Amino acid sequence: MTTVLLPLGIELDPALPEGVRAVRYDVRAPVPAEHVDAEVLVVWMNTPAQLADCARRLTRLRWVQTLAAGPDAVLDAGFAPDVVMTNGRGLHDGPVAEHTLALVLAAARSVPDLVRAQHEHHWARELGGAQQLDPPGAFRTLDGARVLIWGFGSIAARLAPVLASLGAQVTGVARTAGERAGFRVVATADVTAELPTTDVLIGLLPATPETHHAIGSGVLGLLPPHAWVVNVGRGSTLDEDALLEALHNQQLAGAALDVFETEPLPAGSPLWDSPRVLISPHAAGGRPQGASELIGDNLAAFEGRRPLRNVVEH
């Protein structure tokens, strides 16, 4: 009998192959001793300490399925090298694309300024009434805007057509150049040529040693002063000090951030008080779509000794 540990806190009802039993567990507490012989562990919102405990005590573990798109938490937990790991790639495409669109539109339509004006009971005439559609040196509409998506995976493939439908000119950035989902993609090595004409830079990069502070002073310094940075990938990919300096020196118009190097964002972070920063508390994901189906499909493949979906190299 194969035992699969399913996390509490999320509705899951995967189809279980014959000979497989599911046990629910608390992602913030050690797995009970009677279940440490489980062969399969499904991970969602587990604490680092709990994952490290699983890596130590679940000695019969053969496969870890994280429902997160990024596998960094399970990769850092210390699981044995022979444990197969799969991630939740594809489960978050819709929610993250939708949230990213909301942040981009908030930047274009001055939503942070509108909220501040409402809080102050101030009728912000400069934000309403007759306005120029696309004033030079400003980002005020997606129609004709140049949007650069750095990290062109499945989420970007879902987001890019929506942005394009509103008139944006979308270009992707990935390790290798080519065409993905019908959009031009440039290689990471060539990104600097795209930055001076970019109105919105969207970060969808994973957390890896290669992407640490990829969006740093060099990148930010090449963007035009009216550009916005929207980061919904991983907090470690953006140099927050460099961003604050660029905003202070008016080298950028603003930033909308859903992820941060330290989460929760410390109360003392200067990002909170920057008038040109819109803070979102890692809210883009959190609603995996199709999780039960992915788990069920992979359980069937696992039992049938077939290749699993979304295998992570480690």
Side-chain angles (χ1 to χ4, degrees):
M1 175 72 70
T2 298
T3 298
V4 53
L5 297 177
L6 298 178
L8 293 168
I10 180 174
E11 293 184 11
L12 293 172
D13 187 25
L16 300 179
E18 186 176 352
V20 175
R21 67 165 184 149
V23 174
R24 302 301 291 251
Y25 74 99
D26 185 346
V27 298
R28 287 172 170 75
V31 172
E34 61 267 29
H35 300 312
V36 295
D37 61 346
E39 293 90 349
V40 181
L41 175 69
V42 178
V43 171
W44 178 242
M45 297 295 180
N46 300 56
T47 65
Q50 198 275 344
L51 282 178
D53 183 73
C54 287
R56 286 192 301 269
R57 296 174 56 238
L58 274 59
T59 56
R60 295 186 59 189
L61 201 64
R62 295 164 55 198
W63 162 38
V64 175
Q65 168 74 66
T66 176
L67 301 182
D72 38 301
V74 293
L75 291 176
D76 293 341
F79 290 102
D82 60 343
V83 174
V84 177
M85 294 188 182
T86 55
N87 65 14
R89 187 176 69 249
L91 302 182
H92 304 273
D93 294 357
V96 175
E98 186 176 282
H99 197 81
T100 306
L101 175 64
L103 295 179
V104 172
L105 289 174
R109 305 308 298 169
S110 302
V111 171
D113 295 328
L114 294 172
V115 172
R116 275 189 290 271
Q118 178 180 347
H119 180 71
E120 297 169 359
H121 295 196
H122 168 60
W123 185 264
R125 297 183 184 278
E126 69 278 9
L127 301 176
Q131 302 176 53
Q132 188 173 344
L133 176 63
D134 189 13
F139 170 54
R140 292 291 180 267
T141 177
L142 276 172
D143 193 10
R146 290 182 169 87
V147 179
L148 191 65
I149 304 178
W150 196 345
F152 206 94
S154 61
I155 294 172
R158 181 75 172 265
L159 173 64
V162 181
L163 296 171
S165 72
L166 294 173
Q169 301 174 33
V170 181
T171 301
V173 183
R175 290 180 180 176
T176 57
E179 183 177 297
R180 300 188 186 185
F183 292 89
R184 171 175 167 262
V185 174
V186 301
T188 304
D190 300 322
V191 69
T192 54
E194 305 294 325
L195 296 170
T197 58
T198 293
D199 299 304
V200 184
L201 171 61
I202 298 175
L204 282 171
L205 288 165
T208 68
E210 293 75 23
T211 63
H212 181 74
H213 286 186
I215 305 174
S217 57
V219 167
L220 300 175
L222 289 174
L223 291 168
H226 68 269
W228 275 73
V229 172
V230 178
N231 194 25
V232 287
R234 284 292 184 265
S236 63
T237 65
L238 173 66
D239 185 337
E240 294 171 2
D241 290 337
L243 174 68
L244 284 166
E245 183 176 359
L247 291 171
H248 178 75
N249 295 332
Q250 298 185 337
Q251 294 175 310
L252 288 175
L257 309 177
D258 185 57
V259 290
F260 303 88
E261 290 201 75
T262 300
E263 295 183 2
L265 184 65
S269 170
L271 289 169
W272 287 110
D273 296 317
S274 176
R276 308 311 305 163
V277 175
L278 174 59
I279 291 176
S280 169
H282 207 143
R287 298 172 296 279
Q289 298 176 325
S292 291
E293 290 78 4
L294 174 62
I295 296 168
D297 289 348
N298 268 351
L299 279 172
F302 181 76
E303 289 296 294
R305 304 187 189 285
R306 301 190 305 273
L308 305 182
R309 288 168 51 190
N310 296 359
V311 172
V312 176
E313 299 296 331
H314 67 101

